[in-house]
Amino acid sequence: MKKSFLLLLLSFAPTATLAQPPLTLAAVIEAAQRHSVSAQQATTARETAALSWRRTRADFRPQVSVVGTLPDFSRAITPVVQPDGTTDFRAVRLNNSSLQLAATQNLGFTGGQFTVATGVQRFDDFNGGKRLYNAQPLAVGLTQPLRGFNVLAWARRTEPLRYEEAVRQLPQDRETLAQRATEAFFDVLLQQQQAELAAQNERTATELLWLGREKLALGRLAQADVLLLELNQIRAEQARQQAELATQTATLALHTLAGLPPDGSLPLAVPPPAPAPVVVPAAAVAEARARRPEAFGFRRRLLEADRDVARARFTGGPQATLTANLGYINRAESFTASYISLQNQQRVRLAFAVPLLDWGRQRATVRLAEAARELARRTVAQDSVTLAETVRTLVVQLPTLHTQVRLTARADSLARRRYAITQEVYKVGRLSLTDLGIAQTEKDAARRAYVEALRAAWMAHFRLRALTLFDWVRGEGV
């Protein structure tokens, strides 16, 4: 009983090992979108964009910092100028310590900076036995460019668009990767089909050569025909070897793209015809303009062109910056006393720079920026038109591509049936070898045409998804 059970397990073991299902197109696309290097790059780019957007938002929020020097001790001999003009060298032991807490807020609407701070300084003269405190309980400051380029105001307008563009880029990269995986899948499938046809043709050529030699021995076939059969058998073997080599090369490229193990080569399953949903060109264009990253990229590029013009106008012209500080301050020999009887502290400073002669440099800079802005506007308009025309063209081509799949499938079936009939008729001597060769060529061409039609339809399906970022089968965004 145990022996029979062991034999039963051994009889099933090879079947479980060898019966590996073929790879489907959906499985290859899923592997590429999860494990490929391109998928990891797209994910990293998305994370980088999120961190960049987080940093940009932090620029508009208060920044709190503590700055201090604890301690700053010095023991040295320093020269000291005396009242009579002579220099005396004295040994000193000093320590300067400071601590400040400050909160800074960038003013995006004006381009200035507002600061609130509090701090204290301590001075120690160990040789003289002195200790002094300089306290600043409250200090309020404002730095405001009166005429200048406001970086923060423009960043508030362009950076959200840049972030949204990066957010939409990830699904577009995934759909683009699906296109590449589909193309690589059909490269391998086409070569596998060619290798399979070449193997079948080689077996047929070997069988016909054996039959031809039998007919030659019976005097029913000429020697020249037998030599031609032998030549066909050699050519069929060469074609099989070339097809197998091309299959290995294409398989390696597919495994590299999809992140599959490089060893081993599973057969690919011929996919069914691509889905054929009803797509209205106007709706496809509307989805593309609303969902693709270019929808935000176009607006960002136009804003950046306006920003460059504004920068050119303010960079070389008159500049002025107002700085104002207001607070309380006091000095004393003890820490507590330094916070009593506070004194007012004010400072107002206006710095300006006015170019008097630049030989037309400022005007030329502005005109260059305006010309670049006009070029950006025309380029964005052209890119928008190109995107719309690309989507419309693809949508119009879809019915024809699906019709081609249906027709080539019918042609493939007819060509295979014709070849089988022609082969049987040739064996009984009612057709020439030339007729058999024509039927075989048409059979192989019909099979290749069918796979090529499948490839074109599936590529168009995923390209439409990538162009519109919309799943037209489910009726939802990707």
Side-chain angles (χ1 to χ4, degrees):
M1 181 67 179
K2 292 183 179 180
K3 183 176 180 181
S4 61
F5 181 70
L6 179 60
L7 292 176
L8 182 63
L9 287 179
L10 293 176
S11 64
F12 276 103
T15 304
T17 303
L18 297 177
Q20 297 181 353
L23 280 176
T24 62
L25 176 60
V28 171
I29 292 176
E30 182 179 2
Q33 291 179 340
R34 287 190 176 185
H35 308 296
S36 67
V37 176
S38 298
Q40 296 173 3
Q41 291 175 342
T43 303
T44 303
R46 167 69 178 276
E47 294 174 354
T48 302
L51 293 175
S52 178
W53 172 237
R54 181 179 180 181
R55 182 186 62 184
T56 300
R57 288 187 300 171
D59 292 337
F60 295 91
R61 295 175 179 176
Q63 306 294 316
V64 181
S65 61
V66 176
V67 181
T69 302
L70 296 173
D72 183 8
F73 177 78
S74 174
R75 181 175 184 176
I77 297 177
T78 51
V80 179
V81 179
Q82 301 300 310
D84 58 357
T86 60
T87 301
D88 187 16
F89 294 94
R90 296 181 180 180
V92 295
R93 287 190 303 156
L94 307 175
N95 180 57
N96 284 285
S97 301
S98 64
L99 186 65
Q100 184 186 52
L101 174 65
T104 303
Q105 173 66 56
N106 291 322
L107 305 177
F109 55 93
T110 64
Q113 187 178 75
F114 180 75
T115 304
V116 178
T118 181
V120 62
Q121 294 179 323
R122 171 176 165 174
F123 171 75
D124 293 288
D125 183 357
F126 297 104
N127 289 340
K130 294 182 180 180
R131 175 179 296 172
L132 294 175
Y133 289 89
N134 183 24
Q136 192 176 27
L138 177 64
V140 179
L142 174 65
T143 301
Q144 178 61 57
L146 299 181
R147 188 183 187 279
F149 177 70
N150 192 343
V151 178
L152 294 177
W154 285 102
R156 187 187 293 271
R157 300 174 63 185
T158 59
E159 292 305 317
L161 295 176
R162 189 185 304 276
Y163 175 69
E164 289 296 334
E165 185 179 0
V167 169
R168 304 300 177 93
Q169 188 65 41
L170 180 60
Q172 179 177 338
D173 290 341
R174 288 176 57 86
E175 295 304 320
T176 302
L177 189 56
Q179 290 185 73
R180 295 174 55 194
T182 302
E183 184 176 8
F185 177 89
F186 277 98
D187 286 342
V188 178
L189 179 62
L190 189 60
Q191 297 301 331
Q192 286 185 356
Q193 293 291 314
Q194 289 294 107
E196 181 180 349
L197 291 175
Q200 294 176 359
N201 294 337
E202 182 184 7
R203 290 192 296 268
T204 302
T206 303
E207 180 183 357
L208 293 179
L209 177 60
W210 176 84
L211 182 61
R213 288 172 177 172
E214 291 293 327
K215 290 183 178 181
L216 177 63
L218 298 176
R220 297 171 54 187
L221 193 65
Q223 180 69 31
D225 293 335
V226 176
L227 294 177
L228 181 58
L229 289 173
E230 186 174 357
L231 181 60
N232 290 341
Q233 194 275 336
I234 295 175
R235 290 174 177 172
E237 183 178 0
Q238 291 176 340
R240 177 186 57 80
Q241 294 177 355
Q242 292 175 357
E244 290 177 352
L245 180 60
T247 301
Q248 294 175 1
T249 303
T251 300
L252 180 60
L254 175 62
H255 285 199
T256 302
L257 175 64
L260 299 174
D263 53 341
S265 176
L266 292 177
L268 302 183
V270 179
V278 178
V279 182
V280 180
V285 173
E287 294 292 343
R289 287 177 172 172
R291 297 179 178 275
R292 282 182 63 86
E294 286 86 345
F296 299 91
F298 291 158
R299 295 163 55 191
R300 175 186 57 80
R301 288 159 60 183
L302 294 177
L303 280 176
E304 288 178 345
D306 294 336
R307 177 200 62 189
D308 294 341
V309 173
R311 180 189 288 115
R313 288 175 177 173
F314 286 110
T315 299
Q319 304 290 325
T321 302
L322 174 65
T323 303
N325 295 302
L326 176 65
Y328 297 96
I329 192 170
N330 191 22
R331 59 179 293 276
E333 294 182 354
S334 67
F335 178 78
T336 305
S338 65
Y339 283 86
I340 302 176
S341 301
L342 298 174
Q343 302 177 15
N344 292 330
Q345 180 188 23
Q346 303 92 16
R347 183 186 181 188
V348 178
R349 178 174 179 266
L350 177 63
F352 62 90
V354 179
L356 299 179
L357 182 63
D358 65 354
W359 305 101
R361 181 177 181 274
Q362 170 67 10
R363 181 177 299 179
T365 302
V366 173
R367 288 184 177 180
L368 283 174
E370 291 175 346
R373 179 176 61 181
E374 185 63 25
L375 178 60
R377 289 174 177 175
R378 295 180 183 273
T379 303
V380 167
Q382 181 61 46
D383 291 345
S384 179
V385 172
T386 301
L387 175 62
E389 290 301 323
T390 302
V391 174
R392 289 193 188 96
T393 302
L394 183 59
V395 172
V396 171
Q397 291 176 349
L398 286 178
T400 303
L401 295 176
H402 295 307
T403 302
Q404 289 294 321
V405 172
R406 186 173 64 254
L407 294 178
T408 53
R410 178 60 176 167
D412 177 49
S413 176
L414 294 176
R416 282 184 293 166
R417 291 173 54 190
R418 177 176 181 271
Y419 175 72
I421 296 174
T422 304
Q423 184 178 357
E424 295 300 326
V425 175
Y426 171 79
K427 289 179 180 180
V428 298
R430 296 177 56 186
L431 285 178
S432 66
L433 187 60
T434 302
D435 296 329
L436 180 62
I438 293 175
Q440 176 181 324
T441 301
E442 291 179 349
K443 171 182 69 72
D444 296 346
R447 188 59 180 176
R448 183 181 183 90
Y450 174 64
V451 177
E452 290 284 4
L454 278 178
R455 173 179 185 162
W458 276 106
M459 287 294 295
H461 170 73
F462 285 110
R463 190 183 181 198
L464 181 61
R465 284 171 56 101
L467 285 174
T468 60
L469 295 184
F470 192 82
D471 188 342
W472 296 95
V473 178
R474 297 182 178 180
E476 61 185 14
V478 297

